[in-house]
Amino acid sequence: APPVSPRRPAAGAVVPGAAGPGGPARGGVPAGPAAGVAGAKPAESGYRVAARAGDAALLVLAPRTGRTHQLRVHAARAGAPLLGDVAYGGVRRMVQASGRVVTARRVMLHCAALTLPDPGTGEERRFEAEPPEDFGTLWKSLGGAPDALALRE
């Protein structure tokens, strides 16, 4: 799969499991309707492992289509449901090797960048947002490097 494009939305996510989805550092979840789901439409997402911290990975995700809950569904289908995403098989708590418990009070997914056409000119406009405090705090409590949160493509 191609790397995350600056023309595409990018999101950051924390997932349990040091390997990230399926093991590789980059990849994609194939397009195609969800098996057995009536009316499901094709969807495709790319990902890149931005950093690892113990038994967790920080991902940069890029939806190539725009379906409801697409990134959450694809992370779960790839074997790496998002931390805090109990609706799609994620866990709310991780127990570290030290015995310390880290709890996600919400789905650990953050839209870091979004590119849209300007309605007046048609030119592309890019909007970026730093991760919220709880996202950064959780990542750091897992042992993650703070500079990894820049989530640049």
Side-chain angles (χ1 to χ4, degrees):
V4 177
S5 163
R7 296 178 171 263
R8 303 275 184 201
V14 177
V15 297
R26 287 185 186 269
V29 177
V37 178
K41 297 178 181 176
E44 187 175 0
S45 299
Y47 70 89
R48 173 177 62 85
V49 177
R52 299 180 197 285
D55 289 332
L58 179 66
L59 305 179
V60 174
L61 305 170
R64 296 187 183 122
T65 51
R67 307 285 181 232
T68 303
H69 297 209
Q70 175 176 324
L71 295 174
R72 296 169 63 192
V73 170
H74 284 170
R77 280 182 53 192
L82 307 181
L83 186 58
D85 196 357
V86 295
Y88 289 99
V91 296
R92 197 171 297 283
R93 292 179 181 86
M94 287 182 66
V95 179
Q96 297 179 298
S98 67
R100 182 170 183 234
V101 177
V102 177
T103 302
R105 300 193 190 288
R106 64 174 182 89
V107 176
M108 287 292 107
L109 179 64
H110 164 66
C111 181
L114 181 63
T115 303
L116 300 169
D118 183 290
T121 65
E123 292 182 30
E124 288 188 346
R125 298 201 42 185
R126 183 175 172 91
F127 302 91
E128 296 183 1
E130 295 296 319
E133 185 176 340
D134 68 331
F135 192 97
T137 300
L138 184 129
W139 175 245
K140 292 173 199 168
S141 70
L142 290 168
D147 62 333
L149 292 170
L151 299 174
R152 300 292 176 236
E153 283 109 350

